Amino acid sequence: MSRRVVRQSKFRHVFGQAAKADQAYEDIRVSKVTWDSSFCAVNPKFLAIIVEAGGGGAFMVLPLAKTGRVDKNYPLVTGHTAPVLDIDWCPHNDNVIASASDDTTIMVWQIPDYTPVRNITEPIITLEGHSKRVGILSWHPTARNVLLSAGGDNVIIIWNVGTGEVLLSLDDIHPDVIHSVCWNSNGSLLATTCKDKTLRIIDPRKGQVVANNFEEPVALQEMDTSNGVLLPFYDPDSSIVYLCGKGDSSIRYFEITEEPPFVHYLNTFSSKEPQRGMGFMPKRGLDVSKCEIARFYKLHERKCEPIIMTVPRKSDLFQDDLYPDTPGPEPALEADEWLSGQDAEPVLISLRDGYVPPKHRELRVTKRNILDVRPPPGPRRSQSASDAPLSQQHTLETLLEEIKALREQVQAQERRITALENMLCELVDDTD
């Protein structure tokens, strides 16, 4: 008599659970635009959701801790003249987010740590290069300030956000609308899907397809008869892929292994309400003390609900096997290094002591101008060898004193601005 052998896996008993009602984000007018993006982006500090807005496109950015009912007058991020179609947080700066719109532009925004009192209307930089709507955004996983965009013009553009320049343009690879774009782990290759039902692996720096002959899949999984768009989320640390169907009310998840049959069904999380979109928290934003291996932010018609995936463990100690070192916020390359042909794996961090986000960092945009390249200055009046060091030392001391005084003045002004904003918030609350 043969006995059925159960496959050994530490993720066989992963289960999903919706957060309590007081941990949800209520009264949010989620966008109704017809587009196949997730409408939601999340990082360890903020939750961003594309919302309904009159007279253009907008999205809302909430601190993760700001749960409960959202005020109807809560400030939005506005600036696009048509609906926002996709948003994506920068993996190397938790205060920087990019948005793509039906108005053919991409805008990059700096989100302050404090709650603004009015709409954010001025982006750090606006990127213009597409001739039709821009519906896909994806930041490079290891290079600083490198952003990919794909539009309805069947063109992929890779930007240096720090200078506003186009690094690469792939305009003759896709004959039809691009449905999805994804980087590999070190950002050396792209995978794209297109309306012509072809999966392409592209080397963006060579501008050519390196593989597209995928005749037979290694595994074929029958899902259901729904015609909703599937939003796949892959966790490379656990080798689990989560499939969320737009308009569906379930999340199916599978473990990927290197041995046949390669794909192993784990379980399905089901709820009553269909999902309009979904956000996926990076690994460094999870609660490792509760053995949380994934967290989703499910968009309903009027709210956002966190869904937590947990591996049941009895011990309260840190689980090394569940949390290998994971990509952190530090970039491994600069944009120019990547463009020149260099590749580097992500800079990894340990989650043993929990993730502590770095201090607020501003994205600095420096637009290059050929007029800035000035000829070298002519010969100056020569100084004697004796008085040159004394003069330079005196100038250095003077500059340091001026810098110190200016810093103190800036800090005083920042404190005054914060106090005035708090007074304004109190006045607004009193009038409400």
Side-chain angles (χ1 to χ4, degrees):
M1 181 178 177
S2 62
R3 293 179 59 188
R4 182 170 175 265
V5 179
V6 178
R7 187 180 66 91
Q8 292 295 318
S9 171
K10 57 195 169 203
F11 301 112
R12 272 201 318 126
H13 302 292
V14 172
F15 68 95
Q17 187 174 20
K20 295 179 180 179
D22 60 351
Q23 297 299 310
Y25 306 83
E26 304 276 355
D27 206 14
I28 298 173
R29 298 171 58 217
V30 178
S31 175
K32 296 179 181 177
V33 66
T34 304
W35 193 250
D36 295 337
S37 70
S38 60
F39 288 179
C40 180
V42 63
N43 67 20
K45 293 173 75 171
F46 298 106
L47 168 68
I49 301 169
I50 302 175
V51 295
E52 285 286 293
F59 61 97
M60 175 183 291
V61 177
L62 297 167
L64 282 187
K66 190 175 178 58
T67 55
R69 191 182 74 84
V70 178
D71 189 277
K72 63 179 180 180
N73 296 319
Y74 191 87
L76 304 177
V77 181
T78 61
H80 288 288
T81 57
V84 176
L85 302 179
D86 197 16
I87 49 178
D88 195 25
W89 287 104
C90 176
H92 307 129
N93 189 332
D94 286 342
N95 292 80
V96 171
I97 188 171
S99 60
S101 171
D102 212 338
D103 65 7
T104 74
T105 66
I106 303 108
M107 293 184 178
V108 181
W109 310 82
Q110 184 96 34
I111 305 300
D113 285 329
Y114 61 87
T115 302
V117 295
R118 59 184 67 88
N119 288 350
I120 300 175
T121 59
E122 293 297 327
I124 309 172
I125 191 169
T126 300
L127 306 174
E128 298 178 335
H130 288 279
S131 60
K132 293 185 179 180
R133 64 167 61 177
V134 186
I136 299 173
L137 291 176
S138 183
W139 291 90
H140 193 283
T142 61
R144 187 196 307 271
N145 295 341
V146 176
L147 176 66
L148 176 149
S149 64
D153 50 6
N154 311 338
V155 174
I156 292 176
I157 298 179
I158 299 175
W159 309 82
N160 181 347
V161 174
T163 62
E165 296 176 318
V166 174
L167 296 179
L168 300 165
S169 182
L170 309 176
D171 51 8
D172 56 355
I173 292 179
H174 299 89
D176 214 324
V177 177
I178 302 166
H179 284 164
S180 179
V181 180
C182 181
W183 296 94
N184 66 346
S185 61
N186 67 359
S188 59
L189 297 173
L190 294 171
T192 69
T193 57
C194 181
K195 193 175 180 180
D196 65 358
K197 299 181 181 180
T198 301
L199 170 66
R200 294 173 173 84
I201 308 299
I202 301 169
D203 186 329
R205 288 168 295 194
K206 293 181 179 178
Q208 58 184 337
V209 177
V210 295
N212 65 354
N213 187 19
F214 302 101
E215 295 179 356
E216 289 295 327
V218 294
L220 182 62
Q221 184 76 34
E222 191 73 28
M223 298 298 296
D224 53 30
T225 57
S226 172
N227 60 358
V229 175
L230 281 176
L231 303 175
F233 298 95
Y234 178 63
D235 177 14
D237 294 343
S238 60
S239 298
I240 295 178
V241 61
Y242 302 87
L243 298 178
C244 314
K246 260 196 164 185
D248 197 358
S249 58
S250 60
I251 301 174
R252 299 173 179 85
Y253 40 106
F254 304 81
E255 185 176 2
I256 312 298
T257 60
E258 295 181 356
E259 304 83 21
F262 304 111
V263 179
H264 306 272
Y265 171 76
L266 292 176
N267 209 336
T268 299
F269 168 82
S270 297
S271 57
K272 296 180 181 178
E273 298 291 329
Q275 51 231 16
R276 300 279 298 276
M278 194 73 73
F280 187 59
M281 174 68 79
K283 211 53 171 285
R284 55 195 174 91
L286 303 181
D287 188 348
V288 297
S289 64
K290 296 180 180 177
C291 296
E292 180 183 0
I293 64 165
R295 190 191 310 155
F296 294 91
Y297 287 78
K298 174 182 174 179
L299 298 186
H300 298 247
E301 188 174 351
R302 298 284 295 188
K303 74 172 183 178
C304 177
E305 176 186 42
I307 296 171
I308 299 165
M309 298 290 177
T310 307
V311 176
R313 292 284 172 95
K314 294 180 180 180
S315 173
D316 293 333
L317 300 176
F318 178 75
Q319 307 294 316
D320 296 86
D321 60 328
L322 297 183
Y323 301 105
D325 289 353
T326 195
E330 288 301 320
L333 292 171
E334 296 297 327
D336 293 340
E337 294 174 333
W338 177 78
L339 185 63
S340 68
Q342 295 185 43
D343 291 318
E345 294 300 318
V347 179
L348 304 181
I349 60 171
S350 172
L351 300 178
R352 174 174 290 276
D353 299 319
Y355 172 69
V356 178
K359 293 182 179 179
H360 175 80
R361 297 177 298 173
E362 289 193 4
L363 171 63
R364 300 187 182 276
V365 176
T366 307
K367 292 193 175 183
R368 294 177 182 171
N369 190 333
I370 57 172
L371 299 178
D372 290 339
V373 183
R374 300 184 178 88
R380 297 181 178 178
R381 182 179 62 86
S382 61
Q383 286 183 313
S384 65
S386 58
D387 64 356
L390 292 174
S391 174
Q392 291 175 0
Q393 184 177 0
H394 176 70
T395 304
L396 180 60
E397 290 176 353
T398 305
L399 286 174
L400 290 174
E401 289 176 0
E402 289 183 4
I403 290 172
K404 183 179 178 182
L406 287 172
R407 281 179 177 167
E408 292 175 352
Q409 186 176 355
V410 169
Q411 290 172 357
Q413 294 294 345
E414 287 179 345
R415 288 193 293 269
R416 177 170 170 75
I417 290 170
T418 302
L420 290 173
E421 286 180 338
N422 291 335
M423 290 171 61
L424 183 58
C425 288
E426 292 175 0
L427 289 172
V428 171
D429 291 341
D430 291 342
T431 55
D432 290 343

